[in-house]
Amino acid sequence: MAPAGAALPPPIGRSSRPPGRPPSRDMVWVPGGNFSMGSDHHYPEEAPAHRVAVEGFWIDRAPVTNAQFRKFVKATGHMTLAERPADPAAYPDALPELLAPSSIVFVPPPGPIGTGDPYRWWQYLQGANWRHPEGPGSSIKSRDHHPVVHVAHEDALAYAAWAGKALPSEAEWERAARGGVEGAEFAWGEELHPGGRPMANTFQGDFPHHNSLLDGWERTSPVGSFPPNGYGLLDMIGNVWEWTDDWYAGYGAMVAAHKQAGGCCTIEYPRGASRQESIDASSQHGTIPRKVVKGGSFLCAPSYCRRYRPAARMAQGIDTSTCHMGFRCIVRS
């Protein structure tokens, strides 16, 4: 493994150079190659760290914004999952009021409550959606350049198809987030706030009740409010979690299966689990299939969720949208 902060060597035969012009405006080329994915030093779901290989690809410079998503909705008439009533057949035991169009919103408590029960700061609010991020009465006025939120996986897929793009695999997303640097704790080095300077939109202060706003933002921030990574990509870390198109699975099983099949050091183009394998009935998502989301959000805090790192990952049910989840798209060469 390369030392922390070392640039990845130019790959051979891995599409290191862009194949011509970007397929659309504001897309950035990420060279293919091998890198160490995951981490052995943080949350269990990130381990074991393992070598993977991906081909080069184009990726959106920033998460899809409210302005971009509005253009998509205007062109297609798309109605997001959060704007539609839930199917009673899918949730036979649900109370009728929980089937109304709703989404999940962070509502900070008035004082210290500890971090043991996330249901004390998450609320399932009727009327919360991408146009009303904090619920009825809120709006995206003056937030054109903020990432769109309250988009479920199917909404992200619909946008990508309309734009002639795709959602990234988990490996592609992590490759892009590392910005050409391997082995460092964060995308920018070894310190969360080098020289006291926030490098991403995360939570500072006493989570969940008091955000000190050291980075200047209580919720989402306009894309580009923080420095780009080594590939020139914005907000790969913090601001909003981002959907990938991989079904969630533990790394251990994938690495073991690779070795059992006779694989050696590097897993070529990993693509996660199957839809059925992603289901964990004992999880908070019950029998709902889960996709991998990456990057952390404005709610990641050192005292609670240290997932503002390229290696971090989380399982997210495909029936869910929240106020801190968005996406960006890729085009494969």
Side-chain angles (χ1 to χ4, degrees):
M1 180 181 293
L8 294 170
I12 298 175
R14 295 277 184 207
S15 46
S16 58
R17 299 192 178 203
R21 297 172 61 84
S24 64
R25 184 180 176 184
D26 289 332
M27 296 197 86
V28 173
W29 178 252
V30 174
N34 302 337
F35 70 100
S36 183
M37 185 174 174
S39 171
D40 294 322
H41 308 295
H42 290 279
Y43 295 102
E45 68 269 16
E46 300 170 22
H50 52 287
R51 300 295 295 181
V52 302
V54 298
E55 289 284 1
F57 55 93
W58 297 97
I59 189 167
D60 290 342
R61 186 181 300 276
V64 173
T65 64
N66 286 316
Q68 291 171 316
F69 199 77
R70 183 190 299 113
K71 183 178 179 181
F72 155 66
V73 169
K74 187 174 181 179
T76 64
H78 181 83
M79 183 174 288
T80 63
L81 187 68
E83 296 172 284
R84 308 192 307 263
D87 181 2
Y91 306 96
D93 299 323
L95 296 172
E97 58 266 29
L98 295 180
L99 298 176
S102 306
S103 195
I104 298 173
V105 177
F106 173 73
V107 180
I113 59 169
T115 58
D117 182 8
Y119 293 101
R120 299 186 70 179
W121 56 83
W122 287 116
Q123 294 186 18
Y124 191 56
L125 294 184
Q126 290 188 24
N129 55 54
W130 73 275
R131 301 178 193 271
H132 307 289
E134 289 81 54
S138 66
S139 78
I140 55 172
K141 184 179 181 180
S142 303
R143 296 195 221 179
D144 273 2
H145 300 296
H146 288 236
V148 66
V149 293
H150 294 294
V151 284
H153 186 261
E154 65 182 60
D155 303 318
L157 277 182
Y159 177 96
W162 170 77
K165 301 178 182 179
L167 296 182
S169 70
E170 181 181 5
E172 288 167 334
W173 195 99
E174 187 167 328
R175 170 73 168 178
R178 290 183 180 277
V181 173
E182 184 171 3
E185 181 83 352
F186 305 102
W188 49 83
E190 297 299 331
E191 295 182 62
L192 177 58
H193 298 146
R197 180 190 183 191
M199 299 293 286
N201 181 357
T202 61
F203 192 104
Q204 304 90 44
D206 297 323
F207 186 88
H209 72 284
H210 173 65
N211 189 336
S212 70
L213 305 182
L214 176 65
D215 61 12
W217 300 96
E218 184 176 8
R219 293 184 182 263
T220 60
S221 53
V223 298
S225 298
F226 297 89
N229 73 5
Y231 290 142
L233 299 172
L234 302 168
D235 295 335
M236 292 296 292
I237 299 300
N239 214 359
V240 293
W241 284 96
E242 297 185 16
W243 288 105
T244 75
D245 206 28
D246 278 2
W247 297 109
Y248 182 87
Y251 284 156
M254 181 181 67
V255 172
H258 174 70
K259 291 181 178 178
Q260 190 173 16
C264 182
C265 307
T266 301
I267 302 176
E268 300 274 336
Y269 325 124
R271 283 310 309 262
S274 68
R275 178 188 176 97
Q276 187 60 36
E277 288 170 331
S278 76
I279 297 172
D280 179 359
S282 66
S283 74
Q284 63 179 324
H285 304 289
T287 58
I288 301 299
R290 304 174 299 164
K291 291 282 187 176
V292 178
V293 294
K294 298 279 283 181
S297 78
F298 63 85
L299 292 176
C300 283
S303 62
Y304 179 67
C305 173
R306 302 183 308 278
R307 291 184 171 89
Y308 30 60
R309 295 169 292 104
R313 62 200 301 256
M314 189 169 69
Q316 187 65 55
I318 59 172
D319 68 338
T320 303
S321 61
T322 72
C323 68
H324 70 334
M325 194 174 306
F327 69 103
R328 77 180 74 208
C329 302
I330 70 166
V331 172
R332 296 183 177 96
S333 61

